[in-house]
Amino acid sequence: MADLRLGLLLNAVSPAVGGVLVRGEKGTAKSTMVRALAGLLPEIATVDGCRFACDPAAPDPQCPDGPHHAPAAGERPAHLVELPVGVSEDRVVGSLDLERALAEGVKAYEPGLLARAHRGVLYIDEVNLLQDHLVDLLLDAAAMGRSYVEREGVSVRHAARFLLVGTMNPEEGELRPQLLDRFGLTVEIAATRDAAERAEVVRRRLAYDADPAGFADRFAGQERALAERITAARALLPEVELTDGALRQITAVCAAFEVDGLRADIVMARTAVALAAWAGRREVLEEDVRKAAQLALPHRRRRNPFDAPGLDEEQLDRTLQEHAPEDEDPEDDGPGPDGDGPDGGGQGPDGGGPDGGAPAPGDAPEDSVASTDPGSEPAAAQPGEAVPPQGPGGGRESAPVAAGDPYRTRLFAVQGTGKGAQGRRSPAETDGGHTIRARRPQGRLAHLHLSATLRAAAPHQVARGRQERALVLHRDDFREQVRRGRESNLVLFVVDASGSMAARQRMTAVKGAVLSLLMDAYQRRDKIGMVTFRGTGAELALPPTSSVEVGAARLEQLPTGGRTPLAAGLLRAHEVLRVERMRDPNRRPLLVVVTDGRATGGRDAVAQSHRAAGLLAAQGIASVVLDCESGPVRLGLSRTLAGHLGATAVTLDELRAEGVASLVRDSRSSAPRKAA
């Protein structure tokens, strides 16, 4: 947890660093650590009575509660504002009383969470699950330092500069690159594997549950000392010198890792200065630059969507040595004046090692994820090589083969108009998008349709005794906008891993196609799941999740061999979709069956698979069959299966052919169209 502790403290010393993104497995006390930061932050001076935390020394001239002339000042603790994943847009930016605005002509504005977080901390737990339209609001506020509310001719704007802290479990999906870049630092954390440390964690938790106040008193002295050190570091921060040599190292490292833009250079410079101030020094050293790179660059380096964040430590050391200040000898292996070697082997700025006491993200070797298949070969084995162990159906297994290079696929969309979470795939009624019609409000009025409201009220003005210019409105007059956008879907892959698919070149192409579809799902913000079938049955290889990276990893590890229980795969998919429909009725599924159409395992195996396909078709599930049959003689089994599914059969070549427009949109889905 040392990197997380250090990252939070550096932001407390210098809020200009830009916040922290905390990535880690569940149950590692990410949220507990972040919430503990609030008690360490120095108090802030505010204008008395201002709901927007204006600084008395420099009040915001556009403050809705202003203007503030010679304001009375007071002090209060900096707020830590939590932004729930399911929060509504009006709670984020604030809400206008539209009835008063129209009927009385006054601005009745209630500040939102962005206003409350001004000059404090905005904390988002499970930030990767935040809806896209809320992410857009955060991006605007983080970029401009202001929040804008523009509704029906009423405009409100106020300052919104905050320290952005987010936590996430990578297994549940990644962040959009735009929001990822807004976090100054990122840290990877994991639960300790040391039994003694785990025992101490449990012991302290039980002690806290037994006596919360007494437990807090035990550490009150340490927390006061930590808060005083933050205050001292803040005071020292303006005096820290960023030398030309240190700045050259920063820019050289950013260039070496090919980060986009210049934000990384600026964040690294601010982080290195904060590290020096935290250590009580007035000059930035190489160890500060190195640590700043480990915190600020892993999420900014160029990488494929399925690559985990991380840095090449050898490349970092090499770049730092090549651009070391001229008065230092990078080849000297002896201790420096402070007892530190050239590789930063001494004390780091936080009292631990040069890395703050924790290994940097990406230190694990790239091939550290081993196949769980007992018959797979060691890493040195050639992909596709046959191995002695028998598969689950009594056939010979092949070790997993690598996927082919991913490519851009055509858009797959579900017919009709849905009401699912915002995304980029199928048409839906959403909070974003363009307005298509008006309707009476369903619940609280959120998006007023002004012209429709005026048309509804106009015929009744004489009867309501309208006088002068005021428009007499009743609650029944209000109309809300119905907006058409796009939703995300559940894309469930049903992958044939039987012996008929085991040819090395063929499986490489098939995996490349599925990997391409996974990348498409990542870009369109879908949930994905994966069912595989071979041998005697089918298994849920990946329960529905937002983490496309996990899906890509499971695909790489997929071995092949055994019989082809196609019916079992389809029935397992039907069960998975049934359960997911109960969990989230608004998220519509898209079934992608990857097979050559063969079915073995009994005399009526083909008939069973067709009956299973008919069961899915009866549920109105939009489907695509990815036809993997190859060779000069083709039996057309996949296309027969597609007919029973009510789906479109697409070959591997047609998946990226320019002539294919929209595969699923043209499929014979039985779901009825809804009127716009």
Side-chain angles (χ1 to χ4, degrees), residues 163-214:
L163 175 62
L164 185 61
V165 180
T167 59
M168 60 175 283
N169 182 353
E171 293 181 357
E172 297 173 341
E174 284 290 349
L175 276 177
R176 283 171 54 183
Q178 296 91 334
L179 182 57
L180 188 65
D181 191 48
R182 289 295 175 185
F183 287 95
L185 311 178
T186 184
V187 294
E188 296 270 350
I189 64 172
T192 177
R193 299 299 185 257
D194 182 87
E197 289 184 351
R198 296 173 75 98
E200 181 61 21
V201 171
V202 175
R203 189 177 295 113
R204 292 192 184 188
R205 175 69 203 201
L206 295 178
Y208 172 81
D209 291 340
D211 183 9

Side-chain angles (χ1 to χ4, degrees), residues 175-531:
L175 276 177
R176 283 171 54 183
Q178 296 91 334
L179 182 57
L180 188 65
D181 191 48
R182 289 295 175 185
F183 287 95
L185 311 178
T186 184
V187 294
E188 296 270 350
I189 64 172
T192 177
R193 299 299 185 257
D194 182 87
E197 289 184 351
R198 296 173 75 98
E200 181 61 21
V201 171
V202 175
R203 189 177 295 113
R204 292 192 184 188
R205 175 69 203 201
L206 295 178
Y208 172 81
D209 291 340
D211 183 9
F215 183 86
D217 290 340
R218 284 174 52 191
F219 298 96
Q222 296 179 35
E223 292 216 348
R224 281 194 301 271
L226 198 57
E228 291 170 0
R229 186 177 175 186
I230 292 174
T231 302
R234 279 193 173 188
L236 181 62
L237 190 68
E239 303 176 21
V240 176
E241 179 186 4
L242 180 63
T243 63
D244 290 342
L247 183 56
R248 280 195 301 272
Q249 284 186 313
I250 289 172
T251 55
V253 167
C254 291
F257 283 97
E258 299 182 335
V259 297
D260 294 327
L262 294 173
R263 184 174 286 117
D265 307 63
I266 297 171
V267 171
M268 267 192 68
R270 291 171 174 167
T271 305
V273 170
L275 280 162
W278 179 247
R281 288 186 267 99
R282 287 179 168 80
E283 181 177 339
V284 173
L285 303 181
E286 181 176 313
E287 65 189 56
D288 301 322
V289 176
R290 175 185 172 83
K291 189 60 189 177
Q294 293 173 337
L295 293 173
L297 295 188
H299 60 303
R300 290 190 169 92
R301 68 174 179 84
R302 288 189 179 179
R303 59 190 179 96
N304 293 325
F306 303 137
D307 293 342
L311 289 183
D312 185 335
E313 294 293 326
E314 293 184 1
Q315 183 183 2
L316 176 59
D317 290 339
R318 196 163 52 245
T319 304
L320 290 174
Q321 291 179 4
E322 290 174 356
H323 296 84
E326 296 179 359
D327 57 347
E328 296 183 7
D329 184 5
E331 300 299 325
D332 184 9
D333 290 332
D338 297 326
D340 295 347
D343 60 351
Q347 289 285 317
D350 196 27
D355 301 345
D363 281 348
E366 293 181 356
D367 59 352
S368 61
V369 180
S371 170
T372 58
D373 175 53
S376 62
E377 286 286 340
Q382 293 297 320
E385 210 170 285
V387 292
Q390 301 296 306
R396 186 177 295 274
E397 285 187 357
S398 294
V401 300
D405 293 334
Y407 48 83
R408 186 179 182 85
T409 65
R410 308 300 299 190
L411 171 63
F412 289 15
V414 181
Q415 278 190 337
T417 303
K419 295 182 179 180
Q422 276 196 327
R424 302 176 185 175
R425 184 173 296 278
S426 304
E429 292 183 5
T430 63
D431 290 336
H434 61 281
T435 301
I436 58 172
R437 61 187 176 90
R439 68 183 176 195
R440 292 182 182 273
Q442 299 179 352
R444 182 180 179 185
L445 178 62
H447 304 288
L448 177 73
H449 197 299
L450 181 58
S451 59
T453 299
L454 295 178
R455 288 195 300 269
H460 308 290
Q461 295 306 297
V462 174
R464 294 173 182 174
R466 176 185 174 186
Q467 297 178 357
E468 298 179 355
R469 297 183 179 180
L471 187 67
V472 182
L473 293 174
H474 290 179
R475 186 173 297 276
D476 291 340
D477 298 330
F478 287 97
R479 299 292 184 271
E480 67 179 3
Q481 301 174 15
V482 177
R483 298 180 178 181
R484 173 70 62 84
R486 290 191 176 273
E487 66 177 0
S488 62
N489 297 106
L490 167 60
V491 182
L492 181 63
F493 294 89
V494 181
V495 182
D496 185 349
S498 65
S500 65
M501 303 280 289
R504 179 177 176 183
Q505 293 182 347
R506 183 183 186 186
M507 199 61 192
T508 296
V510 170
K511 285 189 175 182
V514 178
L515 188 64
S516 302
L517 293 170
L518 284 172
M519 183 177 294
D520 182 70
Y522 165 79
Q523 294 169 343
R524 301 189 187 280
R525 315 304 294 173
D526 293 316
K527 290 183 69 174
I528 59 110
M530 187 181 300
V531 172

Side-chain angles (χ1 to χ4, degrees), residues 51-52 64-65 87-102 106-116 134 137 147-152 154-158 444-448:
R51 298 174 296 168
F52 300 87
D65 285 355
V87 69
S88 61
E89 179 180 338
D90 59 334
R91 284 293 298 128
V92 176
V93 299
S95 58
L96 294 169
D97 189 334
L98 297 175
E99 294 184 30
R100 291 190 61 194
L102 288 174
V106 299
K107 290 183 181 180
Y109 176 69
E110 182 67 26
L113 296 177
L114 293 183
R116 181 172 172 79
L134 299 180
L137 295 175
S147 176
Y148 293 83
V149 183
E150 304 284 349
R151 293 186 179 180
E152 286 73 44
V154 181
S155 176
V156 176
R157 60 192 62 190
H158 62 82
R444 182 180 179 185
L445 178 62
H447 304 288
L448 177 73

Side-chain angles (χ1 to χ4, degrees), residues 609-635:
S609 64
H610 290 170
R611 286 195 295 269
L615 184 63
L616 288 163
Q619 298 294 319
I621 296 172
S623 306
V624 169
V625 175
L626 189 57
D627 184 1
C628 302
E629 194 173 20
S630 61
V633 179
R634 303 194 179 191
L635 304 178

Side-chain angles (χ1 to χ4, degrees), residues 520-607:
D520 182 70
Y522 165 79
Q523 294 169 343
R524 301 189 187 280
R525 315 304 294 173
D526 293 316
K527 290 183 69 174
I528 59 110
M530 187 181 300
V531 172
T532 62
F533 59 93
R534 64 189 180 107
T536 58
E539 65 173 342
L540 182 58
L542 179 67
T545 175
S546 297
S547 178
V548 182
E549 293 77 10
V550 176
R554 300 286 171 86
L555 181 68
E556 288 286 348
Q557 300 167 19
L558 180 65
T560 55
R563 299 188 181 93
T564 311
L566 177 57
L570 296 176
L571 291 175
R572 188 62 187 271
H574 179 271
E575 177 63 18
V576 171
L577 294 178
R578 185 187 67 82
V579 173
E580 288 301 310
R581 188 181 298 113
M582 291 189 294
R583 291 177 176 172
D584 187 355
N586 290 329
R587 188 180 292 273
R588 298 187 293 167
L590 173 64
L591 185 68
V592 180
V593 183
V594 184
T595 181
D596 58 7
R598 299 183 183 182
T600 59
R603 296 176 57 184
D604 60 345
V606 174

